[in-house]
Amino acid sequence: MNMKMCATSDVAKAWDSIDWNKANAYVKKLQMRIVKAHQQGRTGKVKSLQWLLTHSFYGRALAVKRVTSNKGKKTAGVDKILWSTPKLKYEAILSLKRRGYKPLPLKRVYIPKKNGKMRPLSIPCMKDRAMQTLYKFALEPIAEITADPNSYGFRAKRCVQDAIEQCFTCLNKAKSPKWVLEGDIKGCFDNISHEWILNHIPMDRDILRKWLKSGYIETGRLFPTDLGSPQGSAISPTICNMVLDGLEVQIRKKYHKTKRDGKAYFPKVNFIRYADDFIVTGESRELLEAGVLPIIREFLSERGLELSEEKTVITHIEDGFDFLGCNIRWYKEKLLTKPSKKNYKAIVNKIRGIIKQNPSMKQEDLIRKLNPVIRGWVNFQKYNVSSQAFDRFDFDVWRCLWRWCKRRHPKKSHKWIAKKYFRRVGTRNWTFSVNMADSFELHLIYATDTKIVRWLKTKSEATPFDERFTEYFEDRDTKRMLREINGRKKLNALYKMQKGICPHCGEPITVERGFRIHTEVGADFKEKNVLLHADCHRELHYSKNVDELVLLTQGL
């Protein structure tokens, strides 16, 4: 019995002793070598490096860490197994082997879509998720280097704002194209041809075939999967991108700068894609209908896909169009990108739902529940022309909160309610706030307190897996972080003191990963603040072993 307990303890310690900085550096170096070999046309070298990565200890360890630290870590597959302890995590690393591997069927669930329909979601078990993540590490560098220049969805160091900024760049001049084709692929993930995937995706075909043909379980029955790459799988977004890559090249083959009657001719055809949503610009409706649409349909049919006729429309830029939560429209003499009506209505309804569902919640708890939702939407829209939307949003939120207050105190006067729940903060008289311990006030976030800034688009040719762009992405992340904490003295001081490094994991603190201030008592019994990644902060809060942070604060 004692021997078993010792063995369990040793396995748990083995997980805690893994050097994650070394693991990240090892995997990143192999990914960069894969890109370099691909650029040199050395196909055999690429395959050998991919094999080395998928069979390495650090690659497997990082895959297990990824699936046990993301949002789906508490969602089990059909086997109902979760890796929730250091012992199980370390044993999982040792279990990720190619020989004898057979994936389990997927667990089928349905989530509601915006149009009221249900979207099928297929959930793999933890081991299959880890295996897919591991093989994604080896596939992603190839996917990045072969991707369309203006593809932005499910790609490292690219985001929605990059796609919106590219739309603005293509449409913001007086001579820019005035017609836009809004494309949407019908059931993209669910209908991709398995034959095309197996013939064109450069990875281990046996493993890939097993994933594609694993089937799914619904209402206790096993159903086959003859088409598609299931939504919910870690590697599916990368596969989907590789299936659609090449469409921009196909369009540009026909529509590029040429000469007509001795003069330069610009067809004004631009392509911007985010996941399975895309737009194509053109100088006329006829060019898009008769020229571009047939190219797209032929390209998709080879992959078993087709356009959604109800969602694929051609629009004039003066009428405007919605794309990725924004409305892009030409107003007299300039182009503006604003929050779309659907996007605005969705966030207000979400806020309203949270407030209505918690009629008896404490004020401080309601503020803590609302602030992340408000902050997320505001940070998404602050790169657009959102001043008017932010004003309206603050008013709509205030109106919802005022009704919440009145329902709690139906017999009290308006003056009494205002004095209890709202305070003057700065120049704002109606700040929803509450006094906490140690004279601390907890405030609701207001959208109009956020400055509107311009997004700087990532270079189309840049990829984080190419060593030529390492310095470019480091500078970009640092500048973005400094801009984010500009004017926040406490954050600025901690960031500079730590030289931009998280003391828990040793990796750079970036806006993408998020950041939090953690207060801990050091060896001198004084409180010290540490700036950590958001996930590192959560990990320390839920970890029973706090000795590590004490040592870190002593070092600071």
Side-chain angles (χ1 to χ4, degrees), residues 133-175:
T133 304
L134 176 61
Y135 278 84
K136 180 185 174 182
F137 289 156
L139 180 63
E140 199 171 18
I142 304 298
E144 277 294 312
I145 207 71
T146 59
D148 283 341
N150 291 300
S151 164
Y152 300 98
F154 305 127
R155 291 186 62 191
K157 298 294 183 181
R158 280 169 173 76
C159 61
V160 170
Q161 282 78 22
D162 285 317
I164 295 169
E165 184 62 24
Q166 180 63 19
C167 291
F168 183 83
T169 302
C170 295
L171 298 166
N172 71 335
K173 299 177 182 64
K175 294 183 180 180

Side-chain angles (χ1 to χ4, degrees), residues 279-297:
I279 68 161
V280 185
T281 67
E283 60 181 354
S284 67
R285 175 185 283 271
E286 291 72 24
L287 182 145
L288 295 173
E289 284 181 344
V292 174
L293 268 176
I295 296 174
I296 296 172
R297 289 194 175 105

Side-chain angles (χ1 to χ4, degrees), residues 51-304:
W51 189 95
L52 183 61
L53 176 52
T54 54
H55 289 74
S56 67
F57 174 80
Y58 282 136
R60 289 179 291 159
L62 212 57
V64 172
K65 186 173 190 257
R66 189 72 60 87
V67 300
T68 55
S69 59
N70 60 19
K71 292 181 180 178
K73 64 183 179 181
K74 295 181 180 179
T75 305
V78 293
D79 59 356
K80 300 181 181 180
I81 293 176
L82 293 175
W83 297 335
S84 55
T85 65
K87 175 180 177 292
L88 291 173
K89 292 175 186 178
Y90 194 82
E91 289 174 347
I93 297 174
L94 305 178
S95 71
L96 297 183
K97 296 178 181 178
R98 183 186 185 279
R99 181 178 294 179
Y101 171 69
K102 185 179 180 181
L104 293 174
L106 306 165
K107 183 172 75 173
R108 177 61 63 92
V109 296
Y110 291 87
I111 57 174
K113 296 169 67 174
K114 292 180 181 179
N115 58 8
K117 297 180 181 179
M118 301 299 287
R119 184 193 305 277
L121 195 66
S122 301
I123 302 173
C125 66
M126 294 293 284
K127 183 176 180 178
D128 293 337
R129 266 180 265 175
M131 284 290 283
Q132 289 173 7
T133 304
L134 176 61
Y135 278 84
K136 180 185 174 182
F137 289 156
L139 180 63
E140 199 171 18
I142 304 298
E144 277 294 312
I145 207 71
T146 59
D148 283 341
N150 291 300
S151 164
Y152 300 98
F154 305 127
R155 291 186 62 191
K157 298 294 183 181
R158 280 169 173 76
C159 61
V160 170
Q161 282 78 22
D162 285 317
I164 295 169
E165 184 62 24
Q166 180 63 19
C167 291
F168 183 83
T169 302
C170 295
L171 298 166
N172 71 335
K173 299 177 182 64
K175 294 183 180 180
S176 295
K178 302 300 179 187
W179 291 90
V180 177
L181 167 67
E182 304 170 60
D184 184 88
I185 301 170
K186 189 176 182 179
C188 182
F189 280 89
D190 301 327
N191 296 309
I192 305 172
S193 166
H194 282 183
E195 183 181 356
W196 194 97
I197 293 175
L198 292 169
N199 290 335
H200 294 86
I201 301 298
M203 65 167 285
D204 191 315
R205 287 190 182 182
D206 290 336
I207 295 290
L208 183 56
R209 183 181 286 105
K210 287 178 181 180
W211 286 335
L212 295 175
K213 303 297 184 181
S214 62
Y216 65 92
I217 290 179
E218 184 178 5
T219 61
R221 294 174 57 197
L222 177 63
F223 295 88
T225 47
D226 299 319
L227 290 172
S229 183
Q231 295 187 59
S233 297
I235 203 170
S236 286
T238 304
I239 291 175
C240 180
N241 263 344
M242 297 189 78
V243 169
L244 298 178
D245 284 334
L247 180 54
E248 182 176 1
V249 176
Q250 286 289 92
I251 293 172
R252 283 188 174 182
K253 277 184 182 178
K254 183 175 181 180
Y255 296 102
H256 56 274
K257 180 182 176 181
T258 57
K259 283 190 176 182
R260 284 188 180 180
D261 302 326
K263 296 181 180 179
Y265 168 68
F266 299 88
K268 301 179 181 179
V269 175
N270 302 287
F271 179 89
I272 301 111
R273 178 171 67 84
Y274 189 92
D276 59 342
D277 294 324
F278 62 88
I279 68 161
V280 185
T281 67
E283 60 181 354
S284 67
R285 175 185 283 271
E286 291 72 24
L287 182 145
L288 295 173
E289 284 181 344
V292 174
L293 268 176
I295 296 174
I296 296 172
R297 289 194 175 105
E298 182 181 355
F299 179 89
L300 294 177
S301 65
E302 293 175 3
R303 292 152 175 78

